[in-house]
Amino acid sequence: MQSRFRSDRRLTVRMGVTLFLLGLLYVAFVAALIVLLKSWVLVVVIAAGVLAAQYWFSDRIALFAMHGRVVEREEYPELHAVVDRLCAIADMPKPVVAVSNMDMPNAFATGRNPDNAVVCVTTGLLRRLEPAELEGVLAHELSHVAHKDVAVITIASFLGVIAGLVVRFAFYSEMFGGRGRKDQNTLAVLAMVMGVSAAVYAISFLLIRALSRYRELAADRAAALLTGRPSALASALTKVSGDIARIPSEDLRTAQAFNAFYFTPALGAEPGLSRLFSTHPSLEQRLEQLGRISAELGEAATPGKAA
């Protein structure tokens, strides 16, 4: 079923190109591991198992990692009411609604398709935002579900996860496996495995970052057009980004692993080099785009009207 969120052909093309390139990289990676480890059964079984787990259980993994729990309407009636209204406007299935007991103001969506999706907000977000701002954030997250880019990011990040696990396994195998009992050939194979895995991780990292930045702009645009209130989304962005910047960096480290899924990345006041490799465009870029949309809609825009 096609939702009323504004479709984005450039996002669709970018998702297709990213998946194609990552697919080629994945095939080359698996082939290299088979040649180096000389055990195609082990490589294929592990790769297939991790992919299946990440695809089918990504929502549960994300909720568990971020201490989120599914909440019913009786517990959070206002939150459910906003999600219900937006889903009705967008003509899309209602996702599972969850809340994470974290002071960091943020939200994320996950799931393999619109019929199996979860939208989660933190208690810190609920405390800080006005109703119109919360509606803008939730519309942003729902657009990720409608555009199916949540599933694409989940699949795309799989290769980086596998490469990272292989690097870690090879490193600890070399460090603690007993160097004296290994011949030079074994050490050379481990070194090559680590090298190939590190290269694959780096390439997949850059591809995912490029897609992630554009999909955030696409979600902002779709949410602003669906609600007709880009200023409310801009206000939420400014407020959330400012509050996150005041949270100590050490308190954000756990959350940073899921930055690609967040409404706003969990970066400290001085992100440094992390800004260059951020999963999101800068706050200035996002506000500039929302400003243009606000000017295009004009004062006659009707809140809640689908674009």
Side-chain angles (χ1 to χ4, degrees), residues 1 6 15 43 69 75 106 129-130 134 150 155 178 186 203 213 264 285 297 302 306:
M1 180 176 63
R6 177 72 63 87
M15 289 192 297
V43 173
R69 62 183 181 87
E75 191 173 1
N106 228 320
L129 297 190
E130 299 297 326
L134 178 63
V150 167
I155 296 172
T186 302
I203 296 172
R213 289 174 184 172
T264 300
Q285 285 179 284
L297 292 177
T302 303

PDB file of all heavy atoms in Angstrom, residues 1 6 15 43 69 75 106 129-130 134 150 155 178 186 203 213 264 285 297 302 306:
ATOM      1  N   MET A   1       0.848  -1.195   0.000  1.00  0.00           N
ATOM      2  CA  MET A   1       0.000   0.000   0.000  1.00  0.00           C
ATOM      3  C   MET A   1       0.884   1.245   0.000  1.00  0.00           C
ATOM      4  O   MET A   1       1.806   1.356   0.798  1.00  0.00           O
ATOM      5  CB  MET A   1      -0.907  -0.008   1.234  1.00  0.00           C
ATOM      6  CG  MET A   1      -1.832   1.194   1.319  1.00  0.00           C
ATOM      7  SD  MET A   1      -2.962   1.071   2.723  1.00  0.00           S
ATOM      8  CE  MET A   1      -1.824   1.076   4.091  1.00  0.00           C
ATOM      9  N   ARG A   6       5.126  12.114   0.792  1.00  0.00           N
ATOM     10  CA  ARG A   6       5.676  12.495  -0.502  1.00  0.00           C
ATOM     11  C   ARG A   6       6.803  11.535  -0.884  1.00  0.00           C
ATOM     12  O   ARG A   6       7.761  11.372  -0.140  1.00  0.00           O
ATOM     13  CB  ARG A   6       6.201  13.924  -0.452  1.00  0.00           C
ATOM     14  CG  ARG A   6       6.877  14.412  -1.723  1.00  0.00           C
ATOM     15  CD  ARG A   6       5.869  14.647  -2.843  1.00  0.00           C
ATOM     16  NE  ARG A   6       4.916  15.671  -2.520  1.00  0.00           N
ATOM     17  CZ  ARG A   6       5.115  16.981  -2.738  1.00  0.00           C
ATOM     18  NH1 ARG A   6       6.260  17.399  -3.260  1.00  0.00           N
ATOM     19  NH2 ARG A   6       4.179  17.855  -2.443  1.00  0.00           N
ATOM     20  N   MET A  15      19.012   4.449  -2.527  1.00  0.00           N
ATOM     21  CA  MET A  15      18.898   3.186  -1.803  1.00  0.00           C
ATOM     22  C   MET A  15      19.259   2.020  -2.707  1.00  0.00           C
ATOM     23  O   MET A  15      19.966   1.084  -2.297  1.00  0.00           O
ATOM     24  CB  MET A  15      17.481   3.018  -1.243  1.00  0.00           C
ATOM     25  CG  MET A  15      17.153   3.951  -0.094  1.00  0.00           C
ATOM     26  SD  MET A  15      15.611   3.517   0.787  1.00  0.00           S
ATOM     27  CE  MET A  15      14.386   3.741  -0.509  1.00  0.00           C
ATOM     28  N   VAL A  43      31.802 -19.948   6.620  1.00  0.00           N
ATOM     29  CA  VAL A  43      31.599 -18.543   6.250  1.00  0.00           C
ATOM     30  C   VAL A  43      30.150 -18.282   5.862  1.00  0.00           C
ATOM     31  O   VAL A  43      29.523 -17.323   6.329  1.00  0.00           O
ATOM     32  CB  VAL A  43      32.547 -18.157   5.092  1.00  0.00           C
ATOM     33  CG1 VAL A  43      32.217 -16.738   4.588  1.00  0.00           C
ATOM     34  CG2 VAL A  43      33.999 -18.227   5.545  1.00  0.00           C
ATOM     35  N   ARG A  69      10.599  -0.207  25.592  1.00  0.00           N
ATOM     36  CA  ARG A  69       9.550  -1.205  25.831  1.00  0.00           C
ATOM     37  C   ARG A  69       8.278  -0.764  25.127  1.00  0.00           C
ATOM     38  O   ARG A  69       7.998   0.438  25.001  1.00  0.00           O
ATOM     39  CB  ARG A  69       9.292  -1.392  27.325  1.00  0.00           C
ATOM     40  CG  ARG A  69       8.792  -0.149  28.039  1.00  0.00           C
ATOM     41  CD  ARG A  69       8.629  -0.383  29.535  1.00  0.00           C
ATOM     42  NE  ARG A  69       8.114   0.820  30.194  1.00  0.00           N
ATOM     43  CZ  ARG A  69       6.817   1.104  30.306  1.00  0.00           C
ATOM     44  NH1 ARG A  69       5.899   0.260  29.814  1.00  0.00           N
ATOM     45  NH2 ARG A  69       6.415   2.208  30.908  1.00  0.00           N
ATOM     46  N   GLU A  75      -1.404   3.570  28.812  1.00  0.00           N
ATOM     47  CA  GLU A  75      -0.252   4.122  29.520  1.00  0.00           C
ATOM     48  C   GLU A  75       0.202   5.457  28.939  1.00  0.00           C
ATOM     49  O   GLU A  75       0.593   6.370  29.675  1.00  0.00           O
ATOM     50  CB  GLU A  75       0.893   3.118  29.478  1.00  0.00           C
ATOM     51  CG  GLU A  75       2.054   3.451  30.384  1.00  0.00           C
ATOM     52  CD  GLU A  75       3.083   2.337  30.437  1.00  0.00           C
ATOM     53  OE1 GLU A  75       2.899   1.311  29.739  1.00  0.00           O
ATOM     54  OE2 GLU A  75       4.071   2.498  31.165  1.00  0.00           O
ATOM     55  N   ASN A 106      15.288  11.901  22.105  1.00  0.00           N
ATOM     56  CA  ASN A 106      15.489  11.344  20.784  1.00  0.00           C
ATOM     57  C   ASN A 106      14.352  10.411  20.429  1.00  0.00           C
ATOM     58  O   ASN A 106      13.474  10.124  21.258  1.00  0.00           O
ATOM     59  CB  ASN A 106      16.829  10.604  20.696  1.00  0.00           C
ATOM     60  CG  ASN A 106      17.627  10.999  19.464  1.00  0.00           C
ATOM     61  OD1 ASN A 106      17.066  11.165  18.381  1.00  0.00           O
ATOM     62  ND2 ASN A 106      18.926  11.175  19.622  1.00  0.00           N
ATOM     63  N   LEU A 129       9.292  18.324  24.512  1.00  0.00           N
ATOM     64  CA  LEU A 129       8.641  18.863  23.316  1.00  0.00           C
ATOM     65  C   LEU A 129       7.184  19.230  23.531  1.00  0.00           C
ATOM     66  O   LEU A 129       6.455  18.585  24.282  1.00  0.00           O
ATOM     67  CB  LEU A 129       8.726  17.838  22.171  1.00  0.00           C
ATOM     68  CG  LEU A 129      10.121  17.463  21.671  1.00  0.00           C
ATOM     69  CD1 LEU A 129      10.014  16.646  20.393  1.00  0.00           C
ATOM     70  CD2 LEU A 129      10.993  18.696  21.446  1.00  0.00           C
ATOM     71  N   GLU A 130       6.784  20.280  22.818  1.00  0.00           N
ATOM     72  CA  GLU A 130       5.375  20.660  22.754  1.00  0.00           C
ATOM     73  C   GLU A 130       4.656  19.690  21.798  1.00  0.00           C
ATOM     74  O   GLU A 130       5.297  19.028  20.977  1.00  0.00           O
ATOM     75  CB  GLU A 130       5.240  22.093  22.248  1.00  0.00           C
ATOM     76  CG  GLU A 130       5.910  23.132  23.136  1.00  0.00           C
ATOM     77  CD  GLU A 130       5.289  23.192  24.515  1.00  0.00           C
ATOM     78  OE1 GLU A 130       4.056  22.977  24.641  1.00  0.00           O
ATOM     79  OE2 GLU A 130       6.034  23.445  25.482  1.00  0.00           O
ATOM     80  N   LEU A 134       6.350  17.380  18.849  1.00  0.00           N
ATOM     81  CA  LEU A 134       6.339  15.912  18.912  1.00  0.00           C
ATOM     82  C   LEU A 134       5.717  15.330  17.648  1.00  0.00           C
ATOM     83  O   LEU A 134       6.203  14.323  17.122  1.00  0.00           O
ATOM     84  CB  LEU A 134       5.555  15.459  20.150  1.00  0.00           C
ATOM     85  CG  LEU A 134       5.407  13.938  20.321  1.00  0.00           C
ATOM     86  CD1 LEU A 134       6.769  13.268  20.497  1.00  0.00           C
ATOM     87  CD2 LEU A 134       4.495  13.628  21.523  1.00  0.00           C
ATOM     88  N   VAL A 150      14.298   2.499   6.451  1.00  0.00           N
ATOM     89  CA  VAL A 150      14.713   1.856   7.697  1.00  0.00           C
ATOM     90  C   VAL A 150      15.202   0.443   7.410  1.00  0.00           C
ATOM     91  O   VAL A 150      16.244   0.006   7.910  1.00  0.00           O
ATOM     92  CB  VAL A 150      13.549   1.824   8.711  1.00  0.00           C
ATOM     93  CG1 VAL A 150      13.879   0.898   9.860  1.00  0.00           C
ATOM     94  CG2 VAL A 150      13.264   3.215   9.246  1.00  0.00           C
ATOM     95  N   ILE A 155      19.639  -3.536   6.535  1.00  0.00           N
ATOM     96  CA  ILE A 155      20.342  -4.508   5.693  1.00  0.00           C
ATOM     97  C   ILE A 155      21.738  -4.002   5.355  1.00  0.00           C
ATOM     98  O   ILE A 155      22.721  -4.747   5.389  1.00  0.00           O
ATOM     99  CB  ILE A 155      19.541  -4.781   4.409  1.00  0.00           C
ATOM    100  CG1 ILE A 155      18.199  -5.424   4.755  1.00  0.00           C
ATOM    101  CG2 ILE A 155      20.330  -5.675   3.458  1.00  0.00           C
ATOM    102  CD1 ILE A 155      17.253  -5.558   3.576  1.00  0.00           C
ATOM    103  N   GLY A 178      47.787 -18.015  21.240  1.00  0.00           N
ATOM    104  CA  GLY A 178      49.078 -18.654  21.429  1.00  0.00           C
ATOM    105  C   GLY A 178      49.950 -18.520  20.208  1.00  0.00           C
ATOM    106  O   GLY A 178      49.934 -19.349  19.308  1.00  0.00           O
ATOM    107  N   THR A 186      49.620 -19.334   9.118  1.00  0.00           N
ATOM    108  CA  THR A 186      48.401 -19.022   9.867  1.00  0.00           C
ATOM    109  C   THR A 186      48.350 -17.543  10.227  1.00  0.00           C
ATOM    110  O   THR A 186      47.315 -16.889  10.090  1.00  0.00           O
ATOM    111  CB  THR A 186      48.332 -19.861  11.144  1.00  0.00           C
ATOM    112  OG1 THR A 186      48.371 -21.245  10.805  1.00  0.00           O
ATOM    113  CG2 THR A 186      47.057 -19.566  11.919  1.00  0.00           C
ATOM    114  N   ILE A 203      34.650   0.816   3.644  1.00  0.00           N
ATOM    115  CA  ILE A 203      33.847   1.137   2.456  1.00  0.00           C
ATOM    116  C   ILE A 203      32.366   1.148   2.785  1.00  0.00           C
ATOM    117  O   ILE A 203      31.623   2.060   2.395  1.00  0.00           O
ATOM    118  CB  ILE A 203      34.153   0.141   1.324  1.00  0.00           C
ATOM    119  CG1 ILE A 203      35.608   0.278   0.869  1.00  0.00           C
ATOM    120  CG2 ILE A 203      33.209   0.371   0.136  1.00  0.00           C
ATOM    121  CD1 ILE A 203      36.043  -0.797  -0.111  1.00  0.00           C
ATOM    122  N   ARG A 213      22.648  10.366   5.412  1.00  0.00           N
ATOM    123  CA  ARG A 213      22.489  11.825   5.433  1.00  0.00           C
ATOM    124  C   ARG A 213      21.362  12.275   4.516  1.00  0.00           C
ATOM    125  O   ARG A 213      20.575  13.159   4.871  1.00  0.00           O
ATOM    126  CB  ARG A 213      23.806  12.488   5.018  1.00  0.00           C
ATOM    127  CG  ARG A 213      24.903  12.368   6.051  1.00  0.00           C
ATOM    128  CD  ARG A 213      26.216  12.903   5.533  1.00  0.00           C
ATOM    129  NE  ARG A 213      27.292  12.699   6.494  1.00  0.00           N
ATOM    130  CZ  ARG A 213      28.559  12.931   6.259  1.00  0.00           C
ATOM    131  NH1 ARG A 213      28.926  13.388   5.065  1.00  0.00           N
ATOM    132  NH2 ARG A 213      29.475  12.721   7.175  1.00  0.00           N
ATOM    133  N   THR A 264      18.022  12.644  15.760  1.00  0.00           N
ATOM    134  CA  THR A 264      19.195  13.506  15.837  1.00  0.00           C
ATOM    135  C   THR A 264      20.342  12.693  16.407  1.00  0.00           C
ATOM    136  O   THR A 264      20.140  11.966  17.374  1.00  0.00           O
ATOM    137  CB  THR A 264      18.935  14.727  16.746  1.00  0.00           C
ATOM    138  OG1 THR A 264      17.836  15.480  16.212  1.00  0.00           O
ATOM    139  CG2 THR A 264      20.146  15.632  16.813  1.00  0.00           C
ATOM    140  N   GLN A 285      21.939  22.619   7.763  1.00  0.00           N
ATOM    141  CA  GLN A 285      21.364  22.135   6.502  1.00  0.00           C
ATOM    142  C   GLN A 285      19.896  21.777   6.673  1.00  0.00           C
ATOM    143  O   GLN A 285      19.067  22.091   5.812  1.00  0.00           O
ATOM    144  CB  GLN A 285      22.133  20.897   6.028  1.00  0.00           C
ATOM    145  CG  GLN A 285      23.495  21.171   5.444  1.00  0.00           C
ATOM    146  CD  GLN A 285      24.174  19.876   5.039  1.00  0.00           C
ATOM    147  OE1 GLN A 285      24.673  19.114   5.871  1.00  0.00           O
ATOM    148  NE2 GLN A 285      24.187  19.603   3.754  1.00  0.00           N
ATOM    149  N   LEU A 297       5.260  26.752   1.369  1.00  0.00           N
ATOM    150  CA  LEU A 297       3.896  26.500   1.826  1.00  0.00           C
ATOM    151  C   LEU A 297       3.158  27.799   2.131  1.00  0.00           C
ATOM    152  O   LEU A 297       1.950  27.906   1.903  1.00  0.00           O
ATOM    153  CB  LEU A 297       3.922  25.620   3.087  1.00  0.00           C
ATOM    154  CG  LEU A 297       4.405  24.182   2.901  1.00  0.00           C
ATOM    155  CD1 LEU A 297       4.435  23.460   4.243  1.00  0.00           C
ATOM    156  CD2 LEU A 297       3.519  23.428   1.931  1.00  0.00           C
ATOM    157  N   THR A 302      -2.283  24.439   5.606  1.00  0.00           N
ATOM    158  CA  THR A 302      -3.201  23.922   6.604  1.00  0.00           C
ATOM    159  C   THR A 302      -2.525  22.830   7.410  1.00  0.00           C
ATOM    160  O   THR A 302      -2.122  21.830   6.849  1.00  0.00           O
ATOM    161  CB  THR A 302      -4.474  23.336   5.934  1.00  0.00           C
ATOM    162  OG1 THR A 302      -5.064  24.360   5.147  1.00  0.00           O
ATOM    163  CG2 THR A 302      -5.453  22.843   6.975  1.00  0.00           C
ATOM    164  N   ALA A 306      -2.210  16.616   4.005  1.00  0.00           N
ATOM    165  CA  ALA A 306      -1.235  15.792   3.293  1.00  0.00           C
ATOM    166  C   ALA A 306      -0.820  16.484   2.011  1.00  0.00           C
ATOM    167  O   ALA A 306      -1.626  17.064   1.315  1.00  0.00           O
ATOM    168  CB  ALA A 306      -1.837  14.420   2.964  1.00  0.00           C
TER     169      ALA A 306
END
